[in-house]
Amino acid sequence: INYFFCFFQSKRKIYVIVLHMKKIKTQILLLFLVSTLSISVSAQNFEYFETEREVYWGINKNSWGGLFGGGVLKFSDKISDNMYKTLGFELVNIKHPKENKYSSAIGYGRTFIWGKKNYFFSLRGQYGREMILFSKKDEQGIRINAQLAAGPSIGLQIPYYLKYSRNNRMEIENFDPNTQTFNNVIGSASFFEGLGELKIKPGLNIKAAVNFEFSPNKSVTALEVGFLGDFYPGGVDIMPTARKYSFYPTAFITLFYGRKY
């Protein structure tokens, strides 16, 4: 036997190297060098998977927020091969489930929410951990992460004002079921009417989510789905004629854009 056959696989292709026994030492050395070079090139091609810091911003849709939930900002820093620490901030709108828009009979089609006394927004801070469940195997792959985070919530309660017809004059009034009737409402007043009467309600939040990141480069597009709970001791007064909630559990979906560093 004067020949020796060697097999190795790279990127789904099988290579066969025929080694002549008399020159086997030299050829083994060459094979080692080729293999080392191949591993080095492969590592360079996929080094963007090994990122130390990731920054995301996105828009949120949730079960308490209506058509548009709010905005999200998230920072991730690598602490091990498959773990990141995360710092997030969210500003979302929370609506009461009994909120409905009506058209005014005297306001030329203007709309309003009957029974609503306050807008309510939640400014959340979240600190947590994000674990890589499935890493990318190639540029077209999807990375799947699981995240758990918690932190303080700052509730922003802002009075909701109506344009109301009283004695044939238009008045700007906060909702009061004792002095107002449905048919005399002209429409919603400007959001800024109650901004100067903003009140703060402290609370807590906890979030569990799964993140799907599918961009082929360091500019990131990702989709996050999960559950979040907001808790405000004493409850939130959004609609005084309906149930007052202290705990707001919500399912959400967030579309993220971002950058890896």
Side-chain angles (χ1 to χ4, degrees), residues 40-58:
S40 176
V41 170
S42 177
Q44 290 176 4
N45 288 340
F46 299 102
E47 67 179 355
Y48 70 90
F49 294 150
E50 303 298 326
T51 55
E52 298 297 325
R53 184 173 177 82
E54 300 174 3
V55 179
Y56 299 91
W57 55 93

Side-chain angles (χ1 to χ4, degrees), residues 26 34 46 54 75 77 83 112 122 128 140 156-157 187 195 222 236 260:
T26 302
V34 170
F46 299 102
E54 300 174 3
F75 303 91
D77 290 290
M83 187 72 70
F112 64 96
S122 179
Q140 284 71 44
L156 308 176
Q157 185 173 291
L195 199 57
V236 178
K260 297 181 179 182

Side-chain angles (χ1 to χ4, degrees), residues 13 16 28-29 36-37 77 97 116 144 159 170 174 187-188 210 259:
K13 294 180 180 180
V16 180
I28 287 175
L29 179 60
T36 304
L37 179 61
D77 290 290
K116 185 179 179 76
I144 303 177
M170 188 185 74
N174 193 218
S188 297
V210 177
R259 183 75 180 168

Side-chain angles (χ1 to χ4, degrees), residues 17 24 37 45 78 84 88 90 93 103 112 167 181 186 256:
I17 293 182
I24 193 168
L37 179 61
N45 288 340
K78 187 176 182 180
Y84 287 81
E90 299 183 2
N93 181 24
S103 294
F112 64 96
N167 300 322
T181 60
I186 299 171
F256 276 117

